[in-house]
Every structure is written in structure tokens, then in C-alpha cells.
Amino acid sequence: MEDLIFETGEIATLTINRPKALNALNREVLEGIARILRDVRHDASVRILIVTGAGDRAFVAGADIAAMSEMSVVEGQEFMRLGHRVMQTFEDLPIPVIAAVNGFALGGGLELALACDLILASEKARFGQPEINLGIIPGFGGTQRLPHRIGQVRARELIMTGEMFDARTALEWGLVNHVVAAEALIPETRKLAEKIAGKSGFALRQAKAALRASFTMEEDAGLRFEQSTVAVVFGSADKTEGMKAFIEKRQPKWQHR
Ligand code: HXC
């Protein structure tokens, strides 16, 4: 599918490739992403996934407005469910996912970045939930994930005004991990991915699951979940190797997944 470019490998890259529409997400693109994520999930050779947008203007400027303008209530609901399913699939992937935000990340585009584990932004990146200006509201998880990441106070104002904010503001608010020059975005994202790929894949998977619980569970249940997850990693070959390597003053050799 030419609207998506998937380059596989230990560090795989998924590029949304509709630059003429600022990489807007329509049904076909979302279904294509769902198919790629299904393959990634079952491919043990992929250890980190990078998601980005084609061209130098946009990460993803939102769900496709032209397509949505034609949708009935039922079609709109199906589209929303598909979007939710895709965002949840990103969150449930056992491997870390990094969004490399190279331009506009608006509406469904910001919601896509919010479903990733880490976000790197180019200095040119612009973020926002402008749905209110179209007479709708965020529908791919933004009303839940945005306040979770940046707090209720800021999220309420952003969703109610629809205003955009720049990369520096996103950094100050703790939405993005790093802001880098536009030309350094992909190299810096790969550098971070390589650093993470050098860790135990099994421990990373458990860390991601426990972190996800902080979003989906009440604190008590989350703390219990962490304890059971620690018990799982304590039984792993990578725990034995990691601690042995420390004591023997050498680099560990992970078994990965
Ligand atoms: C479809 C889009 C699009 C979108 C841009 N385009 N955003 N097409 N869906 N979300 C198209 C434009 O129509 C235009 O096509 C081309 O991309 C370039 O955009 P311009 O508007 O000409 O560029 P510019 O003037 O620089 O403005 C950039 C922009 C603006 C500020 C990003 O395009 C914009 O406001 N876009 C919409 C952003 C938005 O509202 N996103 C949220 C969508 S709702 P042509 O053919 O004219 O060249 C959403 C809800 C999710 O995401 C949940 C639903 C259930």
C-alpha cells in the first residue's frame, strides 16, 4: 500500500505517506497500519518500532476531514472504533514504539503520538487537538490520553480552544522526550532506538506492560501488577545473565525476547 512505507529490521520504521494531504488518516490507512502492526507483533526480529510522517510538513495532520465529511453516524462510529483499535494496538505492542514528529501532529495525529511510548519532535513540530473547530471532539483517545500525559488543566484548555502549540512548549509540558533540529530528527530517533535495543527485550516487554498498567488500573491494582511482573522478570534468563554480567564486570549477552 503506497500510503504506508514499512521498513523492517531490528529497528523498524513505519512512515505514513500521504504528504499531499499532510498524511491524514483515512480508513484505508488505518486498516493498513492495523495489518502492519499485526505482522510486527508476531515478528520476533523487530525490537523497536519508529513511526513518522513523510515529507517535511506533517507527522499526521489528523483524521481525513474530506473522508469524515461524507460519513453517516454509523460510518463515523465505525471509523472511530477503527482508530481506537489502532491506537490501542500501538499501546499493546510488546516492543517500544517511538514517534518521530516531523511537523503537524494534530487531532488523530497527536492521538497517534500519544499511543506511542516515546515522542521525539523536530523544532518544526506543531501539536494540537483542533477537533472543536470542526464541530467534533477528539475521537481516537485524546480526551483520555492527553490529560493523562500533560494534566487536566492544560488538556481541557487545548481541547476546548483547539489551539496549537509548538515543540518547545510540548517539551516544557512533558509531552515530548526531546526536541531536535529537523534534519537531526531521524538520526536522533534511531540513536535512542539503538540505545533501547541494547537492553533485554524480555525486561522491556515487562516494563512496558507495567507502565501501561499505570494508565489502565487504579493505583493499588497497578502496584500489585508491578509485583507480579517483577516476579516474572526474576525468573528470566536475562535476570540471571544481567546480574552475573554485573558481578563479572562485563557487558550482558541478552537472550532478548
Ligand atoms: C484531510 C487534510 C488534512 C486533514 C490537511 N489536509 N489536513 N486533508 N484531512 N486532516 C490537506 C488540505 O486539505 C490540503 O489539501 C493539504 O492537506 C495541505 O493543507 P493546507 O491546509 O493547504 O496547508 P496549510 O495552509 O499550511 O495548513 C496546515 C494545517 C491545516 C494547519 C495543518 O491543513 C489544517 O488545519 N488541517 C486540519 C487539521 C485538523 O483539523 N486536524 C484534526 C482533524 S479531526 P489540498 O488538496 O487543498 O492541497 C481528527 C479527529 C479524529 O483528527 C477522530 C475522529 C473520530
Side-chain angles (χ1 to χ4, degrees), residues 91-106:
E91 281 192 332
D92 289 339
L93 274 187
I95 57 169
V97 184
I98 310 178
V101 177
N102 50 312
F104 291 110
L106 303 174

Side-chain angles (χ1 to χ4, degrees), residues 18-25 57-58 60-68 76 79-81 104 106-109 111 128-131 133-134 136-141 164:
R18 296 186 72 208
K20 284 190 184 140
L22 300 186
N23 304 322
L25 303 171
R57 296 209 57 216
V60 168
D64 191 309
I65 299 170
M68 286 189 295
F79 184 61
M80 180 199 59
R81 274 197 214 105
F104 291 110
L106 303 174
E111 291 168 308
Q129 297 284 175
E131 287 91 341
N133 300 324
L134 299 166
I136 60 170
I137 68 166
F140 291 168
M164 288 190 222

